[in-house]
Amino acid sequence: MSLSSVHSSDTTSRRRRQDEHTQDSACELDPQSGCNREQFVDRLCGTQQLNAAHVPAPSSYHCLCPATKCLSAHTCPSHHACEDSWEEIQTKRTIRAENEVEANKLVNNYRFGFRKWKSHVTERPLEDRSDVVKELYSELNVIKPHSGPGQLITCGNIAYVFLFGWWVSLAYFLVGVLMFITVTGIPYGNLCWKLSLYFLWPFGNSIHEIGNTLRRCCELAPDCECNITPADDNSPVLLPSPTEVLLPEMPQRPQRVPYWRRVSTYVWLLLGYPPLVVIHTLVCFISWILVFTIPVSKMNAQTLAVILLLAPEDVSVTTSSQRKHQGYETRALLCCYHAANWYYYKYTVDGINVFAVNLLPLVIVALVIGYIDRENQYASSNVKFAIALCSIIPLSYYIGMGIASISAQSNFAVGAVVNATFGSITELTFYITALLRGHQAANPCLQEVVKAALTGTLLGCILFIPGICMIIGGLRHSEQRFSSRCTGVSSALLFISVGGVFAPTLFSKAYGNLVCDACTNSTGGNTTSNSSGPFVCHNCHYDVNNGTLFHNHVEPLVYTVSALLPVAYIIGLIFTLKTHSHIYNIHVGEGQVTGHHGTVVHWSRWRSLVILIMATVLTSACADLATEHIQPILNQPNISQYFIGVTVLAMVPEIPEIVNGIQFALQNNISLSLEVGSCIAVQVCMLQIPILVLFNSFYDVGFVLLFSDQHLWASIFSVILVNYIFMDGKSDYFQGTALVVVYLILLALYYFAPSPAGC
């Protein structure tokens, strides 16, 4: 949780301190550092009042002084006065938000036990956003000035010609030929040939709808050219001229035939329009899935929905040079300058990132092929498993958005309940369905896979998520800072969590009997031989299934630990959110929030709740399909079941959280990036595992809270390492690399480890 000092603005946020009677001390900056803590402490200790100067913006507020020491000199009352005041400033955090709902969401990000969410839960006014973002949401009907055709020759535009332009242009040419053959469709044939040239290279050219003035001019004099005073080429949209001169109607000229009373209209809708619908729909789908080519999708959708349904005489295709001399009344319908934009990864649809929207059809595909193709005639089990597992990614994103929306629009108690209830629903759904299927099939491997997935989630959240965020954030911001005091709370909870979860395992190893399946001595004899030489034993394990040890000692210990861990979680909530909330010192700056009025949320509370329930049900169905078709994956002779559990099954559902952590790190908010992983790890140990134990107590699926040695020592080592890394309150790409390398080493251990006994 970020504890750096931030002020709301340059002119409105100023901190003042009363005059402190000074003695002989001074604060000296470490010569190795290049920041400004010396000036801060000098002013703090030697002036009548401290008027805080401008503090760096949120994108850089973590760049503070790395090292300082107070030396006894002349101005500070004491060593502790300097340090305490510096820590007070360092731990102050002001949140900027557009409205009250966004402010609540940002505050929830810093609360322990609340899911960290980067995306906005309210609509942001487009006029207040940057030009880059405005370009993303443009309707492609704005005409812009540009220097020349050389400005439009880009890699994306050239790629458009090879990917889409040539065959769309060819389709229009062939449809135009068909319209000429029908004779009555000749006007549409002319339009198709114009559009054929347009779609071959649409960049810089435009399509307009001709207004009434030009239409009457052409009706009176079909062979003349109407040139009125040229319009300003810099205007964003060419609108009707305010000084339009109405031409008198000619009673002797027949009236224009309405659009729906023409024979050519029905010829066009029956013969010409359908093939173009197929072409444009295909282009829309492909370009939308590619994300970065969404402008191509918008261009084809606008053509299909508007342009092709206009009368052919109302459509004018002009180039940039012709547009300079165009002065008559027109309305711009389509004008595209670039086929690709790399910033479209930020594009959202109703608050949901476009990548999550594009992955949502995988849910339908997974359900259809999973529940209809039972005999694997059209897709193998491996394909079904991959699709079902990937479909959990967008569902977990929708669950995260729903949790953030409800929490931001509700009070603290409701937000805490929603986060505790739905925060781990994706993982719990998968684990419970796997245990049920393993119990029904009498397959003990699935229980070991669930334990491996639990351990893999723990390792990934402790090592990989903080590590990758430190690397990406460190490459952009060199060094990032966070409060070691706040991370100390998470670290303590991690120690409690791991200690509690693995306590039954340590207990069983201390008091259990080591049993081996086969032992032979060095001479090759069996265990009945009286030889005193060394024995070689295979498949050894601690026997805890005897009635005395397990039922009288291990099982009560498991239930005790499972009851204490949620209690520790609740105490952590009370400590961080109520009694000691001043540790985080998060508040919303004055003048930063516009209030509730005029705020438009993407999802209301009821809509969020409905989506949460639907996403949970769909997640259960996809998890059921994944566990149904996982057996061929587990039967791979060269891959350990441990490795599959700690990698694929553990980390795929956490991909949205990884993306959130990376986005926080890029914005120099490394504290939230670290809390993303810590929050999940604590919930795994203090909520998910006790729930699984509780479920097993009511419906015995054979889940025993005893882990293998590799799970035990890997988890303990990871917690110790990450606490050592977090100790100094600084992060850079080197520390992140260390965490990721350790994570990869542990994955290598799991990859080469033998499969669990009985699998």
Side-chain angles (χ1 to χ4, degrees), residues 655-672:
I655 288 179
E657 303 298 333
I658 297 174
V659 173
N660 281 330
I662 291 174
Q663 289 180 328
F664 286 131
L666 289 174
Q667 291 189 342
N668 206 10
N669 202 344
I670 192 64
S671 58
L672 282 184

Side-chain angles (χ1 to χ4, degrees), residues 546-702:
N546 61 77
T548 303
L549 180 63
F550 180 75
H551 293 291
N552 296 340
H553 301 280
V554 176
E555 192 173 35
L557 176 61
V558 169
Y559 291 142
T560 302
V561 168
S562 299
L564 291 176
L565 287 176
V567 172
Y569 184 81
I570 295 173
I571 293 174
L573 286 176
I574 297 174
F575 178 82
T576 56
L577 302 180
K578 289 295 183 182
T579 62
H580 288 69
S581 59
H582 62 275
I583 294 177
Y584 308 102
N585 213 1
I586 305 302
H587 68 281
V588 180
E590 297 180 0
Q592 298 296 329
V593 178
T594 59
H596 244 317
H597 304 289
T599 301
V600 179
V601 295
H602 290 298
W603 296 357
S604 65
R605 279 176 290 190
W606 284 108
R607 181 184 178 188
S608 300
L609 183 60
V610 171
I611 291 176
L612 274 177
I613 296 174
M614 293 178 59
T616 302
V617 173
L618 293 174
T619 301
S620 302
C622 293
D624 179 68
L625 291 174
T627 54
E628 179 183 354
H629 298 282
I630 195 177
Q631 197 58 47
I633 307 295
L634 298 178
N635 292 336
Q636 296 292 330
N638 299 326
I639 303 178
S640 172
Q641 284 86 345
Y642 285 141
F643 180 77
I644 296 173
V646 299
T647 54
V648 179
L649 303 182
M651 296 309 294
V652 167
E654 307 301 337
I655 288 179
E657 303 298 333
I658 297 174
V659 173
N660 281 330
I662 291 174
Q663 289 180 328
F664 286 131
L666 289 174
Q667 291 189 342
N668 206 10
N669 202 344
I670 192 64
S671 58
L672 282 184
S673 299
L674 303 181
E675 283 299 320
V676 167
S678 298
C679 181
I680 300 174
V682 170
Q683 285 188 346
V684 167
C685 296
M686 292 190 167
L687 292 180
Q688 295 181 21
I689 290 179
I691 290 175
L692 293 178
V693 173
L694 180 65
F695 176 79
N696 185 79
S697 66
F698 286 99
Y699 186 83
D700 189 5
V701 292

Side-chain angles (χ1 to χ4, degrees), residues 31 55 167 197 205 209 263 285 438 461 484 604 659 665 671 689 692:
V55 180
W167 56 279
L197 296 176
N205 304 327
E209 180 182 6
V263 177
F285 176 77
C461 294
S484 57
S604 65
V659 173
S671 58
I689 290 179
L692 293 178

Side-chain angles (χ1 to χ4, degrees), residues 267-339:
V267 172
W268 165 251
L269 294 178
L270 291 175
L271 298 179
Y273 188 68
L276 294 179
V277 169
V278 176
I279 294 295
H280 283 297
T281 302
L282 183 60
V283 175
C284 282
F285 176 77
I286 296 175
S287 56
W288 182 273
I289 291 297
L290 295 177
V291 175
F292 301 106
T293 56
I294 286 181
V296 178
S297 180
K298 291 182 177 181
M299 179 173 61
N300 284 268
Q302 178 75 358
T303 303
L304 185 61
V306 178
I307 296 174
L308 295 183
L309 296 179
L310 292 174
E313 65 271 15
D314 290 346
V315 179
S316 172
V317 181
T318 59
T319 62
S320 57
S321 59
Q322 293 173 336
R323 195 163 55 241
K324 293 180 180 180
H325 305 288
Q326 176 181 302
Y328 46 78
E329 175 198 0
T330 61
R331 181 170 67 94
L333 297 176
L334 185 61
C335 189
C336 183
Y337 294 92
H338 297 286

